[in-house]
Structures are given as C-alpha cells and as structure tokens.
Amino acid sequence: MRAGSNGGGEPAPDGNGRTVRLALAGAGAAVAALVIAMVAGGAATPRIIPGLPDQGMLTRWGLPLSKLVMDVTGVLTVGALLAAAILLPSDKGLLGRPALAYVKAASWLGLVWAAAAAATMVFSLSEALGMPVADVLGGDELTSYASQVSQGIALTLVVLFAVAIALFARGAITVGSAGGLLALALVTLLPPALTGHSASSPNHDLATTGVAVHLVVLALWVGGLGVLCAHAVRGQPRLEVAAARFSTLALWCFAGVGLSGLFSVLARLTSVSELFTSAYGALLLAKTAAFALLGAAGWWHRRRTLPALASGGSRTFVRFATGEIVVMFAAVGLAVALSRTAPPPAILPVDRAFELLGYTMPPEISLGNLASLWWFDLFSGTLAALLGGLYLAGVVRLARRGDAWPWGRTAAWFTGVLILVLATQSGVARYAKVLFSVHMAEHMTLSMLIPIFLVLGAPVTLALRALKPAVRRGDRGPREWLTTILHSRFVRFVGHPAIATAIFIVSTYALYFTPLFAEAMEEHLGHIAMTVHFLVSGCLFFWVIIGVDPAPHKLPHVARLVVLFVTMPFHAFFGIALMSMGTVLAAGWYDQLGRTWGESSLADQRTGGAIAWGFGEIPTLIVLLALAFQWWRDDDRRARRADRRADAVAARTGGSGDAELDAYNDFLAKLDKRDRAE
C-alpha cells in the first residue's frame, strides 16, 4: 500500500495535511535562503547617502519577497500544467480526474501569480524613484511605468498572461488545452528576467538567451518535482507512471540548467577570480552547489527510488523527493537574491557599437573576415544542435531496429543544418547587424535556402517512424502529440497553400516597410524573432511545394509549379522596391553604430535590394529539380502500382490484367467469330 493512500487510490485523510507541510517546508527554505543571501550579499543593508531619496524598509524587503512569490507561483503553475498535460496518463485526449484537479490548481496559482507580479511592479517603481509605496500608489507614475518602461511592461505582461491562464484553465478539459496553457505559462516567465541584469551585461546576447533557456528548463524541473511530490504525499494514483516520465524530463532539464547557467555566468563575469572575490560570485557558487546536490539526488532517484516505486513502495520516494524539493526552493530563493545583487563591474570599451552589438565594430568586410570572424550565438547554436541531434537519434533508432532510411533525406537535412550554422555563427552573423546587405543575404538564406533542405529531410516522417506509440491505449506520448499537432485546426489553417504563400510573401513586406524592422534591430529578442520567423515561414511554404511529410492539403504537381512561379516574382519586386528607396530603413540603428568604412547606408541598402532581387534564382532551381524528381518518382510508383494491380487481376481472371486491352481483344474475337460464321 502506498504511503498516504487508503488502498483504493483515493487520498488518505492526512494527505492534504502532508501537502500543506510540504508547501510550508519549501516556502520556508526559499525565504530562508533569500534572507541569508541578501544579508550576505549586502542587498539587505545598502548604503544610504544623506540627501538622496530612500524608498524605505518596506520596499527593500517587499520587492524581493513579492518577486519570490511571483517566481514560486509561476514555477508551480508550470508544474501543475505539466502534470496535467504530460506526466499523468490521459484517456483519448481527455484529462483524468487528478489532471483536472491540477488544472484547477493552476487556475488559482495563476491568480496569485498575477497578484504577486502587480505587487512587484509597485515595489519596483518605489525602488526606482526612491519613493515610499504609499506615495507611489497615490501618484500617476505607476501608469507610465507599466506602459512605457521596459521593466514595467514586462510585469504588466505577466499580470495579463497569468490572469488569462487563470481564466482559461477553468474550462480546460482536454490534454491539448492543458498543453497550450503550459506553453503560455512558460512564455509568461520570460519578460521580467529578460529586462534585468541579462539585458545590461557585457555580452547581452549570450546572457539574454542563456537566462531564457535557464528559466524554462528550471521551471519545468522544479515545478514538475513539486507537483509530483504533492501527488505522492496525497496518495494519488498513477504515481509510478508520472515519476518515470518526469525522470526522463528531469535528465534533460538538468543538462539544460547546467549549460544555460554556464553561458549566463560567462556572459556576466569577466574572470574566474570574480567567483571568489565578489558577493555575486559567492551566490553563484552557492547556487551551483545546490545544482550539484540536485543532480546527485536525480541520479539516486533513477537508481534506487524509481525501481522501488514501480514495485509499490513509495515511502522512500516521498522522503527523498521532499528533501529534494526543499533544496530546489532554496535554490529559487538564491536566484531571487542573485537578481537583487549587481554583478561585478566590467571594464568595457567606451564604444557605442559595443553597447549595441556586444562586440566591437568589425573591420571592413571581406571574404576572409566573413569566414574567420566567428561569433557564437547561443540561440541559433542550440537550435542547430537540437535539429542535428534529434534527427541523428531518429536515424540511429531506425537503424538499430533494422529499418532503412533514405540517405538522401539525411544528407539534405544535415546540409540545411550546416548552412544554418554558417549563416548564424560565422562572420556573416557579425556583419548582419552592421550592414543591411549582409542582413538581407542572411534573411534570404534563412527563409529561401535552408528550409528547402530541411523540408526535403522529412523530419516528421522520421519522427513518426522512430517514436514508439504510447504504452497505454488512449494516452498521449510524443508520437501522439505530434500526430495531434499535425491534425490540429491551426496546422490545417497555416498549412493551406494560400495561407502559407501569403505568410511567405506578405510578412517580408510587413517587416521591412513598417517600423517593425527598426524595432527588431534594437533588441536581441528582435533578432531571435526574425530568425525564427524566416525559418518557419520558409519551411511552411516549401512544405506545400516539395514537402515529403504528410500535409493537410496536397497539391497536384502542376499546381505546385504554378504556386512557385507566382510567388518568386514577389521577392524580385521586393528587391526592386528596396533599390528604389531614397531613405534608409532603421536609420537610427545604423547611425548609432558609427561605421566609418565601406559605402553609405543608403548604397548598402540598395546592394541588399539587389541581393533580394537575384537570390531567388538559386532556390527556384533547387526546388524545380526536387519537384521534377518527385514528379517522376510519383509517376513511377503509380505505374508500378498499376502493374501490380493488373497482375493480380490477371491471376484471378486469366486475362492480361488490363481491362481496356481485354475488352479490345474480346471485340476482335467477336469480329473473328462473326466473319467465320458468315
């Protein structure tokens, strides 16, 4: 019998009490870690200069505590939705009773999350202005802060999204809706962190991406374990299934937290000695120690407690997981204290270009510099590693099973991944932020060249063949999730040839001929958004034209040719429009960089227009070759299928198997018979 269970799968009477004690233990550990870290780091006793405004003790402690509540409730919301959507088994897409309870809990947690974010906004403004909370609430500054300042806008987004999660979770009864809310909760975690120390660090690109990845994987890890512990102490059913699934997820989260944390440290610290000579470094070491302890606990879970749990014993799992969750929430408290502690000051060059780019202005462009001045971009590098690693894992799984996978598809896929690395990690990535012409070459490569090879790699078909169906019928594993997404209304809508073509064409004009381009160039997140959009819109369009994977709408080959030849001239028109412009796009961005070499920004923009005009010929040729090959293969398959059908008919009837030929032979036989009769 499981601990905390009455033997029938229902929660024991003391299950709720144990859950409360678990919550209090985790909250106590988080608050204690926060207080100790703030006192040790000096954030609790800042130097007050006479004559300067002071926000007061309420803000000094209210801000980190409200931020702690915001982070903890956000993490627990993610954990509750993770348990409902992924960890617990479902029944033909519908949530079971425990999963429904976690969705309802996510609704209440979302409300607390929104309230804590609102309180954090008030305390943040109080600290920024040096005004007591009462004065902030009585003035008009709060409205301006929430709508005009980046930190205030970020917290406003958290409030709005958290309230949306709370409202939509009330009516969620399907696994798909819980999965959508989980994705929204993960997105809601990001805005406050991306406007903190990461945005102002020396290498803000690396720091911004690192902290985003760190938050997502940490929320999945901590939130999932917290809800799993509550599930165990309440004696809820299917604990062994949820624990086994979480164990696999936790291994990936552990690796993600470690790597993203390492990149974040590299972006903020300029030397290893700062780990031992600064309060910020000391807190990082404490957080690293907690991380190592959690890794050891995860290893112990996989080796000892999970096998015992599968055999029906949950006492060891509950005790061990409870200790683990205390350490995790203490780490969350350390993270909040870390966000309140300034990193060691870095000696940076007095250069406006360095402030904007994260690196000094590169030398005059040349083929040698494009090939040698490599620049590591964490987001694109992680994306390329995932694309290559997951595809290779699928091919290896098929090979071990004895199934063949066409080598041409593998070659096409890794060609696309290689071009992605060259376009986003080489000197091209450096110059793309400095010269519009290089940016346009990168844009065309991301949207019109790389997607062709990725689509020809047939990743969805590979995944459907490599992934195993869910063990329990009616449940959703990775394969079932993929199938559900493919058959969703959203994919059917965006996968329609007219919609995919419109996105591919219109989005380009909308980006460059509106203020969107200038705003995107100013922020690292804008560069990430452009990269993702170029890749996704290109893959969507070429999926319609030459896609090997199953699609909601299949076009005849002639129609595909028509769509291709109708679409490509729009890029030529776009290039001509750029070449004809007399003003510079995102002129403020390029003027701030202070580039002193090369042609003027307007002349470089016209060069970019020429690139957009002429670039389409190469992708068009590749697509035509691929389409011709697919057309020939399709006709060949149909001919062979017709031959097999004819052979089968001939075997049954004794004829040739060709109905028209048999009818003609019968006609000739009747004529011969009539002639003989005459």
Side-chain angles (χ1 to χ4, degrees):
M1 184 181 299
R2 290 193 299 270
S5 173
N6 59 13
E10 295 295 329
D14 62 342
N16 292 332
R18 292 183 178 182
T19 305
V20 172
R21 289 195 293 273
L22 175 65
L24 291 176
V31 173
L34 172 65
V35 172
I36 294 173
M38 285 190 62
V39 172
T45 55
R47 181 183 178 186
I48 301 175
I49 301 176
L52 293 181
D54 178 32
Q55 65 271 22
M57 187 66 69
L58 177 61
T59 297
R60 192 168 298 121
W61 284 101
L63 178 57
L65 288 175
S66 63
K67 190 177 186 304
L68 177 63
V69 175
M70 181 180 71
D71 290 346
V72 169
T73 51
V75 165
L76 290 178
T77 302
V78 168
L81 294 172
L82 175 69
I86 296 176
L87 300 184
L88 293 174
S90 60
D91 185 12
K92 296 180 180 179
L94 296 177
L95 297 173
R97 182 176 299 178
L100 284 173
Y102 289 130
V103 172
K104 295 297 187 296
S107 176
W108 290 108
L109 287 167
L111 290 178
V112 180
W113 190 4
T120 303
M121 186 188 306
V122 174
F123 287 124
S124 297
L125 180 59
S126 172
E127 182 186 57
L129 299 179
M131 296 170 55
V133 173
D135 295 341
V136 169
L137 294 176
D140 299 329
E141 296 86 355
L142 188 59
T143 302
S144 300
Y145 181 75
S147 59
Q148 299 178 12
V149 181
S150 58
Q151 291 86 351
I153 294 173
L155 292 170
T156 302
L157 291 175
V158 174
V159 173
L160 295 177
F161 290 167
V163 170
I165 292 171
L167 294 177
F168 287 116
R170 291 288 177 180
I173 61 173
T174 65
V175 178
S177 58
L181 290 172
L182 172 61
L184 179 59
L186 292 173
V187 171
T188 307
L189 291 170
L190 299 179
L194 299 182
T195 56
H197 291 152
S198 59
S200 57
S201 62
N203 190 344
H204 48 267
D205 290 4
L206 183 61
T208 299
T209 308
V211 75
V213 176
H214 194 74
L215 274 175
V216 169
V217 294
L218 190 64
L220 291 170
W221 190 16
V222 177
L225 182 63
V227 175
L228 192 63
C229 288
H231 195 81
V233 299
R234 296 180 67 240
Q236 292 292 319
R238 302 290 181 182
L239 175 60
E240 66 283 353
V241 176
R245 293 181 178 181
F246 177 75
S247 177
T248 303
L249 176 66
L251 180 61
W252 287 96
C253 289
F254 179 78
V257 168
L259 290 175
S260 60
L262 175 62
F263 288 126
S264 298
V265 171
L266 292 176
R268 290 180 176 87
L269 302 183
T270 57
S271 66
V272 178
S273 62
E274 290 178 343
L275 286 172
F276 309 98
T277 58
S278 65
Y280 192 85
L283 293 180
L284 278 176
L285 290 176
K287 190 178 176 184
T288 302
F291 171 74
L293 184 61
L294 291 173
W299 175 82
W300 182 269
H301 270 307
R302 295 178 69 89
R303 289 290 302 273
R304 299 295 180 87
T305 61
L306 286 182
L309 189 62
S311 61
S314 64
R315 289 184 179 273
T316 304
F317 174 83
V318 171
R319 293 197 195 99
F320 204 74
T322 301
E324 193 175 0
I325 199 64
V326 169
V327 176
M328 277 191 169
F329 278 92
V332 173
L334 287 173
V336 174
L338 199 63
S339 68
R340 301 288 302 148
T341 305
I347 301 176
L348 304 176
V350 183
D351 184 5
R352 181 57 175 162
F354 186 89
E355 295 177 5
L356 296 171
L357 301 172
Y359 50 85
T360 57
M361 174 66 67
E364 188 168 2
I365 188 170
S366 66
L367 291 178
N369 289 334
L370 287 173
S372 60
L373 295 179
W374 284 67
W375 175 255
F376 177 64
D377 181 78
L378 180 57
F379 174 80
S380 302
T382 303
L383 178 62
L386 288 175
L387 292 177
L390 292 176
Y391 195 94
L392 183 61
V395 173
V396 170
R397 175 173 287 188
L398 288 184
R400 289 178 177 176
R401 206 166 60 195
D403 294 339
W405 181 252
W407 66 267
R409 294 180 181 178
T410 304
W413 180 266
F414 282 100
T415 299
V417 173
L418 177 61
I419 298 174
L420 175 62
V421 171
L422 293 175
T424 58
Q425 308 293 318
S426 67
V428 174
R430 284 186 186 254
Y431 286 99
K433 295 182 180 180
V434 177
L435 294 172
F436 182 84
S437 57
V438 181
H439 165 83
M440 186 54 60
E442 185 183 48
H443 171 185
M444 294 292 112
T445 302
L446 291 172
S447 64
M448 298 181 65
L449 188 60
I450 296 173
I452 295 175
F453 294 103
L454 296 183
V455 166
L456 291 176
V460 176
T461 303
L462 175 62
L464 291 175
R465 290 183 57 185
L467 293 173
K468 298 178 181 179
V471 176
R472 184 174 178 268
R473 188 173 183 180
D475 195 9
R476 280 190 181 177
R479 192 177 191 277
E480 287 72 23
W481 270 108
L482 181 58
T483 305
T484 301
I485 293 172
L486 285 175
H487 293 108
S488 65
R489 293 181 180 178
F490 176 76
V491 172
R492 288 185 61 84
F493 175 74
V494 298
H496 191 280
I499 302 300
T501 304
I503 293 174
F504 188 64
I505 296 173
V506 176
S507 61
T508 300
Y509 288 84
L511 172 64
Y512 291 99
F513 296 143
T514 66
L516 284 176
F517 178 64
E519 295 177 3
M521 291 297 290
E522 295 282 350
E523 301 288 342
H524 177 58
L525 293 179
H527 291 278
I528 293 178
M530 286 192 290
T531 299
V532 172
H533 172 72
F534 296 153
L535 286 172
V536 172
S537 62
C539 287
L540 192 62
F541 174 73
F542 289 110
W543 180 34
V544 172
I545 303 297
I546 55 173
V548 181
D549 290 324
H553 308 279
K554 279 290 187 181
L555 287 177
H557 291 90
V558 175
R560 299 182 189 187
L561 280 174
V562 172
V563 173
L564 177 66
F565 286 123
V566 167
T567 303
M568 288 307 168
F570 283 95
H571 281 275
F573 298 152
F574 168 71
I576 294 173
L578 288 177
M579 296 168 64
S580 304
M581 291 184 65
T583 57
V584 177
L585 298 175
W589 166 262
Y590 293 111
D591 290 342
Q592 291 181 83
L593 295 177
R595 177 172 55 88
T596 57
W597 46 261
E599 56 187 1
S600 66
S601 296
L602 184 58
D604 180 68
Q605 180 173 294
R606 289 171 178 164
T607 303
I611 292 174
W613 180 30
F615 193 93
E617 296 181 3
I618 300 174
T620 302
L621 177 60
I622 298 174
V623 171
L624 285 176
L625 292 175
L627 191 56
F629 180 75
Q630 291 176 354
W631 200 340
W632 171 77
R633 287 286 302 272
D634 187 53
D635 288 344
D636 184 61
R637 281 194 297 266
R638 289 184 181 182
R640 282 184 287 157
R641 192 181 302 119
D643 290 342
R644 289 194 299 268
R645 189 183 303 114
D647 292 341
V649 172
R652 290 197 309 268
T653 63
S656 66
D658 190 328
E660 294 183 359
L661 180 59
D662 289 340
Y664 182 68
N665 289 335
D666 289 341
F667 174 71
L668 293 178
K670 289 179 181 179
L671 289 178
D672 182 65
K673 184 177 181 180
R674 188 179 63 183
D675 290 341
R676 290 181 179 180
E678 293 177 351

